């Protein structure tokens, strides 16, 4: 079963389907995926280094700009939903949301579906900051793709989009299976050594 055939979500059926997909992959698939994962890790480290150079060790406003970008991209949502989308600790996101509210980049509004709760909405200043960050990213990374053909750009964008969608659609199953894989193997109850 390929992951595109597996059920998405957070339930045990999704986790079991992901386990089956992991078991069904060939050694060549695993080697290739390991190579891709290493390249992604290297990319994340590079992005982190760039971000640290721009903002220092922490944003002066006390928030991670990726929260504002995610909120602007996906639309108004509760802080708990933002934390889930960011795969981040809710208390950390709550503190960073407070920084965005204080900076005037986000406002809390009543949730139209549940008046007891609030949703986070980018302000005009917040949207302007997002637009500035997106434009800056384009300027910074344009030289890296400037000599790519239109076809190469389209293929890269399509495949990267598919990869990110597959990961985000299956994030809970991936986290569960990854946690299982890193657990030490149970020791033999008989006490024998291999």
């Amino acid at each position: 079963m390929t992951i595109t055939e597996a059920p998405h979500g957070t339930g045990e059926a999704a986790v079991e389907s992901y386990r089956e997909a992991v078991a069904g992959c060939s050694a060549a698939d695993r080697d290739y995926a390991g190579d891709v994962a290493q390249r992604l890790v290297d990319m994340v480290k590079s992005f982190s280094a760039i971000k640290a150079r721009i903002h220092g060790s922490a944003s002066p406003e006390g928030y991670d700009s990726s929260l504002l970008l995610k909120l602007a991209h996906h639309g108004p949502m509760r802080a708990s939903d933002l934390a889930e989308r960011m795969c981040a600790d809710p208390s950390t996101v709550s503190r960073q949301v407070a920084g965005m509210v204080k900076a005037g980049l986000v406002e809390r509004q009543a949730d139209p579906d549940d008046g007891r709760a609030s949703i986070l909405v980018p302000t005009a200043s917040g949207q302007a900051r997002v637009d500035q960050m997106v434009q800056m990213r384009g300027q910074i990374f344009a030289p890296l793709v400037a000599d790519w053909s239109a076809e190469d750009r389209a293929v890269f964008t399509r495949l990267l989009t598919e990869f990110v969608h597959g990961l985000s659609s299956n994030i809970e199953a991936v986290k569960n299976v990854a946690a299982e894989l890193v657990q030490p193997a149970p020791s033999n109850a008989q006490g024998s050594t291999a």
Side-chain angles (χ1 to χ4, degrees), residues 105-128:
L105 302 173
V106 170
E107 64 184 8
R108 297 179 197 273
Q109 295 180 359
D111 185 335
D113 298 327
D114 181 357
R116 299 167 296 169
S118 64
I119 57 173
L120 305 170
V121 180
T123 62
S125 295
Q127 188 59 53

Side-chain angles (χ1 to χ4, degrees), residues 40 43 145 148-163:
L40 291 171
M43 183 180 71
V145 297
W148 290 14
S149 70
E151 182 181 343
D152 286 348
R153 290 177 184 204
V155 168
F156 181 77
T157 300
R158 180 180 59 80
L159 293 174
L160 186 59
T161 300
E162 287 178 21
F163 183 88

Side-chain angles (χ1 to χ4, degrees), residues 7-95:
H8 299 307
T10 60
E12 186 56 36
V15 173
E16 183 57 34
S17 293
Y18 203 83
R19 277 188 203 109
E20 291 173 12
V22 167
C25 289
S26 69
D29 291 337
R30 288 188 197 96
D31 289 345
Y32 176 75
D35 186 47
V36 168
Q38 183 58 55
R39 291 166 199 258
L40 291 171
V41 167
D42 294 344
M43 183 180 71
V44 168
K45 286 180 181 180
S46 296
F47 281 156
S48 295
I50 294 165
K51 188 173 165 183
R53 176 61 61 93
I54 292 170
H55 297 294
S57 61
S59 169
E61 294 92 355
Y63 69 90
D64 183 338
S65 59
S66 59
L67 291 173
L68 182 58
L69 287 161
K70 184 72 75 174
L71 187 60
H73 179 72
H74 291 285
M77 68 181 82
R78 294 181 182 186
S80 59
D81 295 332
L82 182 58
E84 185 177 321
R85 283 189 181 266
M86 297 297 294
C87 298
D89 180 76
S91 63
T92 301
V93 170
S94 180
R95 283 191 303 274

